[in-house]
Amino acid sequence: MSAVVGLALMLALVAGVSLVRGQGLSAFTYWQIWVVVAVFTFLMTSPFTYLTYAAGADWLLVERSRWGIKKRVWLDLYNLTKIDASYGGTTFHLWLYNREGGFSRSSHELQLDRRIWDLVYNGILHSVANGAQVSNQAIGILQLGKTPALKMRDAEHPDR
């Protein structure tokens, strides 16, 4: 989809510049323009960007590499302080926060590898049982009401 959008933007840009210069659409008759359109369309698809997920018993690492520059976000899954979720399109987005920060990911991304999703969900359950703040929407989406985690939290923290 990003390639189609990128191609449409590049064609509109070339047509716009050609029309503003008073040349009509004659710019499209030059092969060099098509090379530029193809290269920039390819670059607009972020071909050198990828996400890597790794998880351990109590942590999650998301590493984003773009143009060779890597950015890592570590999350201590068993010490989450806030959990939120909302629907967006065909999937739901999950916001996870601990003391050092947090991040947002779609459920589709986290559930691509079932083993990683199992570790993330276990961390969510543990954090909820230990008193993490959970939105009502996250309780419904993650079906936390069907687990003992909320009952344990409410028993230990009756003020919530």
Side-chain angles (χ1 to χ4, degrees):
M1 185 61 156
S2 61
V4 171
V5 171
L7 179 62
L9 287 173
M10 286 305 300
L11 292 176
L13 179 69
V14 169
V17 169
S18 183
L19 289 171
V20 166
R21 296 180 118 192
Q23 299 171 349
L25 297 177
S26 65
F28 290 112
T29 61
Y30 299 103
W31 68 268
Q32 295 91 343
I33 294 294
W34 288 104
V35 170
V36 170
V37 166
V39 168
F40 278 99
T41 299
F42 176 71
L43 292 176
M44 290 174 88
T45 63
S46 300
F48 306 111
T49 300
Y50 62 91
L51 289 172
T52 304
Y53 294 91
D58 61 351
W59 56 269
L60 174 68
L61 166 71
V62 179
E63 182 179 80
R64 178 180 168 197
S65 179
R66 176 178 248 170
W67 298 100
I69 299 169
K70 294 183 179 185
K71 181 181 177 187
R72 292 181 175 172
V73 177
W74 290 88
L75 198 60
D76 185 357
L77 294 172
Y78 279 62
N79 290 310
L80 297 175
T81 57
K82 183 178 177 186
I83 301 163
D84 195 6
S86 68
Y87 281 105
T90 60
T91 185
F92 66 87
H93 285 63
L94 191 60
W95 285 267
L96 303 173
Y97 300 94
N98 62 9
R99 285 181 224 108
E100 287 81 37
F103 67 87
S104 168
R105 289 286 168 247
S106 73
S107 64
H108 173 73
E109 292 175 27
L110 292 172
Q111 291 176 349
L112 283 174
D113 187 338
R114 186 67 189 179
R115 296 167 297 180
I116 289 180
W117 175 245
D118 288 345
L119 292 168
V120 170
Y121 193 74
N122 285 340
I124 289 171
L125 291 177
H126 186 274
S127 295
V128 168
N130 281 340
Q133 177 187 352
V134 186
S135 70
N136 288 334
Q137 195 166 9
I139 291 171
I141 291 172
L142 296 171
Q143 299 180 356
L144 296 175
K146 296 180 180 179
T147 68
L150 281 175
K151 294 174 190 164
M152 292 172 64
R153 180 190 72 175
D154 293 342
E156 291 181 18
H157 302 80
D159 58 329
R160 291 188 187 263

